[in-house]
Amino acid sequence: MLGMTTRRTQVGIVGAGPSGLLLSHLLARQGIDSIVVENRGRDYVEERVRAGVLEQGTIDTLAEAGLGERMMAEGLFHDGIEIRFDGQAHRIDFPSLTGGKRIMVYGQNEVVKDLIDARLEAGGAIVFDVDDTAIEGIDGESPTIRYGKDGAEHAIACDYIAGCDGFHGICRPSISEAALTGYDRVYPFAWLGVLADSRPPSREVAYCHSERGFALLSLRSPTVSRLYIQVAPDEDIANWPDQRFWDELQRRTAVEGAAPIETGPILHKGITPMRSFVAEPMRNGRLFLAGDAAHIVPPTGAKGMNLAVADIRFLTEALAAFYRTGDTAGLDGYSARALRRVWKAQRFSWWMTTMLHLSPDDSPFDRRRQRAELDYVTGSEAAMRTIAENYVGLPFETGLTP
């Protein structure tokens, strides 16, 4: 191993996903230095297939930060969603229920590409392909990120560290169990998802409840579909050859008057477990957690990346206030402020998940109640407004204190 190299920055960021990159970008716009370290290569980070539904607030945040040019040109605005059951499709119109708000389909990997391009063009520091990353000194005045790169040891001395390294990263486990509470729920089903080179079967995202299980129709572009079906959490993907997937998807999503789903080459196939998790608090000493490092939501409510963007908005405001005035009120209130939004998103995601999926623990009563709930939410304007305002994104809180 070669000698140690030490650098200094104001905010050290672990993880070059959407939350870490957006934080670095927004801090730079406030004149605050940061360095991002990532254990994967740039190509891997840019090509990870993840969710792609952006709330109105996320769209606005990216556009206001100068990141909207390609997003606005290539992203697909959607004015609503469908809920399908009993062979019928029911549409929920967002703009009419939310004062004009919409969502956009724009892949998370595309957001990451835009952020990396913007940071590197501005001379931002992103270090890819690091190993043996560790953080230390978060209870002191100068915490440190240590990592290996090209056979040498490196250290970054910081004022603060942002843990944006995902659910399986090193930042959250660095907090003692006594200082952090984890709230966890694992659902008894998973999603088998595919990315297919085929024309999307629905012009908007369609949630489909059937006696065979849940299915979801979505898209990444006018010619590329993103499709899911509910499976057991321990399902072997080898049991799902392409044709079986297409046949099952057709059965679960069929509604009166709809054409058969157009099949095509499957570009990617994977199984996503369904889980809810929240870490409280989202701060320990000079370490702040954001995004998946702090919370996981089931994908039913399309909240994952949008929650990460909200975390970063709050953290950026708090750090900017500190560096501008020395006031720590925003930093002290960050966790409580972020968690209020996190738990509202958890509630919505849990509700959508349990309303639409079949559970092996369901009784006949549960099935009848579920059917009645679907009838209610597609027949009541008040219920549809509840779905719409949560789906497009609740307003951001103002003010930095709890």
Side-chain angles (χ1 to χ4, degrees):
M1 183 70 74
L2 302 175
M4 171 75 73
T5 300
T6 301
R7 303 170 70 179
R8 183 74 174 79
T9 193
Q10 291 171 293
V11 181
I13 301 171
V14 183
S19 54
L21 292 167
L22 181 61
L23 178 60
S24 180
H25 181 80
L26 295 182
L27 290 177
R29 290 170 66 87
Q30 297 289 333
I32 300 168
D33 293 331
S34 68
I35 299 174
V36 182
V37 298
E38 167 61 49
N39 68 343
R40 302 282 194 171
R42 178 178 177 178
D43 288 346
Y44 179 90
V45 171
E46 290 185 339
E47 297 305 326
R48 280 184 292 198
V49 177
R50 293 290 188 272
V53 174
L54 308 185
E55 295 176 353
Q56 183 71 65
T58 298
I59 299 167
D60 296 342
T61 298
L62 296 174
E64 291 164 5
L67 299 163
E69 183 176 356
R70 193 166 72 94
M71 176 184 70
M72 299 302 289
E74 300 180 11
L76 304 175
F77 275 107
H78 285 188
D79 289 339
I81 59 171
E82 277 187 3
I83 296 180
R84 297 183 180 187
F85 63 99
D86 290 351
Q88 301 292 324
H90 307 264
R91 185 171 183 272
I92 298 177
D93 183 82
F94 291 160
S96 67
L97 296 165
T98 64
K101 294 181 180 179
R102 301 188 287 173
I103 60 170
M104 176 187 283
V105 173
Y106 187 65
Q108 177 174 309
N109 61 313
E110 303 302 331
V111 174
V112 167
K113 290 175 185 176
D114 294 342
L115 282 163
I116 290 175
D117 287 345
R119 293 305 304 124
L120 296 180
E121 183 178 343
I126 309 173
V127 188
F128 293 103
D129 288 313
V130 306
D131 54 43
D132 298 324
T133 308
I135 60 175
E136 56 188 44
I138 59 175
D139 293 323
E141 294 185 357
S142 184
T144 301
I145 301 172
R146 299 189 183 278
Y147 64 93
K149 172 77 173 176
D150 298 330
E153 294 184 24
H154 300 265
I156 304 172
C158 319
D159 295 333
Y160 295 99
I161 295 175
C164 304
D165 53 342
F167 185 75
H168 299 289
I170 58 98
C171 288
R172 190 180 68 253
S174 72
I175 303 172
S176 70
E177 292 185 5
L180 184 144
T181 301
Y183 298 91
D184 202 7
R185 177 176 184 140
V186 178
Y187 296 85
F189 37 76
W191 281 9
L192 169 61
V194 307
L195 191 69
D197 187 8
S198 62
R199 186 172 58 186
S202 175
R203 65 184 180 88
E204 295 177 327
V205 177
Y207 291 83
C208 310
H209 170 83
S210 82
E211 292 305 311
R212 301 182 66 89
F214 171 78
L216 178 71
L217 305 176
S218 63
L219 62 156
R220 284 294 175 269
S221 76
T223 59
V224 176
S225 299
R226 188 71 169 138
L227 311 162
Y228 301 89
I229 59 173
Q230 174 186 344
V231 295
D234 58 352
E235 184 63 80
D236 185 349
I237 200 168
N239 294 331
W240 288 91
D242 293 359
Q243 191 56 54
R244 183 188 178 194
F245 174 85
W246 288 116
D247 291 344
E248 186 62 23
L249 184 71
Q250 180 66 54
R251 293 187 187 101
R252 297 189 190 187
T253 62
V255 291
E256 291 181 12
I261 292 175
E262 180 181 298
T263 64
I266 289 180
L267 310 174
H268 178 271
K269 186 186 297 182
I271 292 180
T272 302
M274 303 286 280
R275 184 173 198 165
S276 296
F277 175 82
V278 180
E280 290 193 14
M282 289 169 58
R283 176 191 183 178
N284 184 256
R286 290 187 173 241
L287 169 66
F288 295 86
L289 302 178
D292 287 358
H295 41 73
I296 294 288
V297 290
T300 324
K303 291 289 166 254
M305 183 169 63
N306 294 295
L307 272 183
V309 170
D311 291 348
I312 297 310
R313 281 180 61 114
F314 299 154
L315 185 54
T316 300
E317 290 177 13
L319 287 165
F322 167 74
Y323 282 112
R324 186 172 59 249
T325 68
D327 186 357
T328 64
L331 296 173
D332 296 337
Y334 163 72
S335 180
R337 188 183 184 198
L339 284 167
R340 282 193 291 271
R341 190 178 187 89
V342 167
W343 278 112
K344 289 174 184 177
Q346 290 284 5
R347 183 211 66 82
F348 177 66
S349 299
W350 166 85
W351 177 61
M352 289 283 285
T353 299
T354 55
M355 178 175 65
L356 291 160
H357 290 73
L358 302 184
S359 170
D361 302 324
D362 285 346
S363 67
F365 175 89
D366 293 322
R367 295 291 173 86
R368 296 295 294 169
R369 176 204 54 76
Q370 187 180 50
R371 176 62 173 72
E373 189 165 21
L374 287 164
D375 264 344
Y376 172 67
V377 301
T378 56
S380 162
E381 182 176 321
M384 287 189 286
R385 179 171 287 109
T386 294
I387 292 177
E389 69 177 9
N390 279 272
Y391 208 98
V392 302
L394 298 174
F396 292 114
E397 285 189 11
T398 58
L400 299 179
T401 56

